[in-house]
Amino acid sequence: MTFLHPGSLRAQLTLWYVGVLSAILFLLSCCISAVMFFELRKQLDDHAIEELETVEGFLRFHPDGTLFLESTDHDHVIPATAQERFIEVLSPEGAVLFRNEILGSRSLGGSPMPGEGQQTYSERSVRLADGTRVRLVSRNHKVQGHPTIIRLGFNQQVLWHHFLRVAAGLFVGLPLALALAGLCGHYLARRALAPMAAMARRVQEINAEQLNTRLEILNPQDEVGRLAAAFNETLARLERSFERMRQFTSDAAHELRTPLTVIRSVGEVGLQKQADGQYYREVISSILEASDRLGRLVDGLLAMARADAGQIQIERTPQDALRLVRDAAAVLEVLAEEKSQSLSVEGVDGLRITADPSILRQVVLNLLDNAIKFAPEGGRVWLRVLQADGGTVAIEVEDDGPGVPVEHQDKVFNRFYRADRGRARETGGAGLGLAIAKWGAEA
C-alpha cells in the first residue's frame, strides 16, 4: 500500500503530521497533568489549613503538663475528618508534645525547620518512616500561653490516586487520538496530493509528439496550480525547441541536398559526354564551387551546433576595437574590389573592449560579408567604431543597398532565413551568417 511505502510523499507527510501532533499532545498532556497535580495539591493545602485552624482550638494542657486533643470545646465537637489526619505538636525546641493515634510513634516531618510556621503556614511534602507520602502544613500557635508548632498532615495517596487516574486516561487516550489523527492526516494528504498524482499521470503520457498538450490548472493561486503552470511553461519551451530543431534539421537537409545534387549531376553529365580538356575543366570548376559552398554550409552548421551545445570556450581579453575591425575589413577587401565597391573603416583610436577576439572578428566578418553581397555594384560599405553611451563601444556596419524590408527585419537573424531566396542562391548564402553573428554578439 502507498500508505506503508516509506518513499511515498503521502506516507512521509502522514508520519510527519503524526509525529508533530504526538509531540504536541504529549507536551500538552504533561502540562495538563502538572497543572492538575498542583491544583489538587493546592486544594489539599487549603483544606489542611482549615482543619489545622480547627485543631488549634481543641488542644489543651493537662495539669501535669501533657498536651491532649479535646473532643469538644464550648459545645463544639471536633470534626471526625480532623481526627483522621496526622497531627503532631512540637515545642519550639523540637520536643514532641503530642501525636494522635493515627500518627502513632512516627515522626511527622522531623525536627522543626528554620522559620517553620512563624509568619504564615508552611507547606511541604514528607515521607513517614513506613514510606507513606504526606502533605504537611504547620503553623506556630500558643496553646494556653505555651508556644508550640502544630503540624497537620494529609495522606497524599488520594491525591496521587486522582492524579494517576486522570493521567492514565490522558496517556491511554493519546495513542487512540494519534491513530485517528493518522487516518485523518492520511486522508487529507491523499486529497491534497491527488491533483499532483493526476498531474504525474498526465505528464507520463506526454511524449515528443504531444508537446502541445498542457496540464489542467484548477486553481492558479495555490501551489499545485503554480506547479502546473511551471510545467506548462516548460512544455511550451520544449515544444518551441523541438520545433526549431525540426525546422533546423529540415532546412539543413534541404541546404545540404542542393550542392550534393549539383555535384552529382555535373559529375554524371561529365562522365557521359566525350569532350575536350576545357570542358572537363569547367565541370571540375563547377564541382569545386559546389563543394566550396557545401564546405561553408557544413562549417556553419558545426558552428551553430557547437554554440547550441555550449562547447565553444569564450576567452575574453582586452582588445583595440578599431584595430580588430580593420583586420576583419582587410580580409574582405578583395570581395568589395570585385564589385567595385568602396569599403571605408572609420572610428576613434584607443577604444578598448573586453571580448573574445576570434568570436567578435567572426561577427564583424559575417556582417561585412552580408553588406558586400547585398550592396550594389560600385556601392559603398561603411564600418564604424563609435563611443556609445555608458562607456560602451558600438560597432556599426552600413551599406547603400536596398536594406531589409520591414516584414523581414524581425526574421533575418533566424537560421536559414533569407528575405530573397533567389538572390541568396546566386550569392551562395545559406542563411546562417546573421544567425552566427547574433549568437557571437550575445556571447
Side-chain angles (χ1 to χ4, degrees):
M1 295 177 61
T2 305
F3 177 76
L4 301 176
H5 195 286
S8 168
L9 180 59
R10 189 183 309 164
Q12 293 180 29
L13 288 175
T14 303
L15 291 176
W16 271 102
Y17 171 71
V18 172
V20 172
L21 183 62
S22 62
I24 294 175
L25 289 180
F26 177 77
L27 293 175
L28 182 62
S29 300
C30 292
C31 292
I32 292 175
S33 301
V35 170
M36 180 192 66
F37 176 80
F38 288 111
E39 182 62 28
L40 288 174
R41 197 174 70 175
K42 183 177 182 302
Q43 293 178 8
L44 190 64
D45 289 344
D46 293 341
H47 191 39
I49 290 172
E50 291 177 2
E51 295 203 358
L52 190 147
E53 291 176 350
T54 301
V55 167
E56 288 175 350
F58 288 88
L59 288 172
R60 297 288 183 272
F61 277 100
H62 281 296
D64 59 0
T66 60
L67 188 66
F68 68 98
L69 186 65
E70 285 189 336
S71 58
T72 60
D73 178 29
H74 303 294
D75 299 328
H76 291 92
V77 181
I78 186 171
T81 55
Q83 299 180 51
E84 295 172 356
R85 309 307 176 201
F86 300 111
I87 302 174
E88 182 181 70
V89 182
L90 304 176
S91 68
E93 293 77 20
V96 178
L97 302 177
F98 173 80
R99 285 176 180 155
N100 65 349
E101 294 181 4
I102 296 177
L103 182 61
S105 62
R106 294 172 294 183
S107 174
L108 186 62
S111 301
M113 298 179 64
E116 180 179 351
Q118 291 182 1
Q119 302 297 327
T120 182
Y121 292 94
S122 299
E123 302 135 352
R124 57 193 172 107
S125 296
V126 298
R127 280 184 180 268
L128 302 183
D130 59 2
T132 302
R133 287 181 293 189
V134 175
R135 185 64 180 172
L136 173 64
V137 176
S138 58
R139 175 70 184 271
N140 284 0
H141 180 69
K142 287 187 177 182
V143 177
Q144 295 178 338
H146 297 279
T148 62
I149 299 175
I150 303 175
R151 291 174 173 173
L152 186 142
F154 269 83
N155 190 331
Q156 292 192 84
Q157 187 63 34
V158 176
L159 169 65
W160 282 100
H161 175 73
H162 287 293
F163 170 73
L164 293 176
R165 187 172 60 181
V166 175
L170 287 173
F171 286 97
V172 168
L174 182 61
L176 298 177
L178 290 177
L180 180 60
L183 293 176
C184 294
H186 178 260
Y187 173 73
L188 292 175
R190 184 176 181 178
R191 286 202 60 180
L193 296 176
M196 296 184 65
M199 188 187 307
R201 290 193 297 270
R202 184 59 175 156
V203 170
Q204 288 176 344
E205 297 173 356
I206 299 175
N207 54 36
E209 304 301 326
Q210 297 177 332
L211 291 177
N212 60 338
T213 305
R214 297 293 180 268
L215 301 180
E216 183 180 5
I217 301 177
L218 299 178
N219 182 5
Q221 303 302 322
D222 62 11
E223 288 77 3
V224 177
R226 290 197 291 270
L227 180 61
F231 266 120
N232 286 341
E233 292 176 2
T234 301
L235 289 173
R237 289 195 297 270
L238 286 175
E239 183 182 14
R240 291 192 296 268
S241 297
F242 268 75
E243 185 60 33
R244 285 196 299 266
M245 184 178 67
R246 292 192 187 98
Q247 186 64 41
F248 181 80
T249 304
S250 175
D251 291 341
H254 178 74
E255 295 295 335
L256 289 171
R257 187 184 301 115
T258 301
L260 288 173
T261 301
V262 171
I263 293 173
R264 183 181 182 85
S265 299
V266 173
E268 289 178 349
V269 172
L271 289 175
Q272 294 173 1
K273 186 176 181 180
Q274 296 293 332
D276 56 10
Q278 179 62 30
Y279 172 78
Y280 287 115
R281 280 193 294 271
E282 293 176 358
V283 169
I284 294 173
S285 176
S286 299
I287 293 175
L288 290 176
E289 184 179 348
S291 299
D292 182 61
R293 179 183 176 189
L294 181 62
R296 291 197 304 271
L297 179 59
V298 171
D299 290 341
L301 291 174
L302 288 175
M304 295 305 300
R306 291 177 60 199
D308 291 341
Q311 296 178 352
I312 298 179
Q313 297 295 327
I314 300 177
E315 298 180 0
R316 297 178 177 86
T317 57
Q319 303 290 325
D320 186 299
L322 188 58
R323 178 181 297 177
L324 187 145
V325 166
R326 283 173 176 165
D327 292 343
V331 176
L332 298 180
E333 280 183 347
V334 176
L335 295 180
E337 291 175 358
E338 290 178 356
K339 298 182 65 175
S340 302
Q341 295 172 342
S342 172
L343 177 57
S344 301
V345 180
E346 305 171 357
V348 181
D349 286 322
L351 292 180
R352 306 286 292 179
I353 57 175
T354 300
D356 187 304
S358 60
I359 294 178
L360 184 56
R361 183 173 182 272
Q362 188 62 49
V363 171
V364 176
L365 285 174
N366 287 9
L367 293 174
L368 192 56
D369 180 66
N370 192 76
I372 293 173
K373 283 181 182 178
F374 292 95
E377 294 280 347
R380 297 194 64 184
V381 178
W382 293 269
L383 190 55
R384 303 187 184 94
V385 177
L386 307 174
Q387 178 73 58
D389 296 335
T392 60
V393 176
I395 299 176
E396 295 182 354
V397 179
E398 181 184 357
D399 64 78
D400 58 357
V404 181
V406 176
E407 63 271 18
H408 298 293
Q409 289 180 2
D410 58 343
K411 302 176 183 178
V412 293
F413 291 100
N414 295 342
R415 300 172 187 183
F416 298 109
Y417 186 83
R418 287 168 297 209
D420 188 344
R421 292 187 174 270
R423 186 173 182 184
R425 294 290 185 197
E426 296 174 1
T427 57
L432 289 176
L434 292 182
I436 295 174
K438 179 184 177 183
W439 170 85
E442 292 174 344

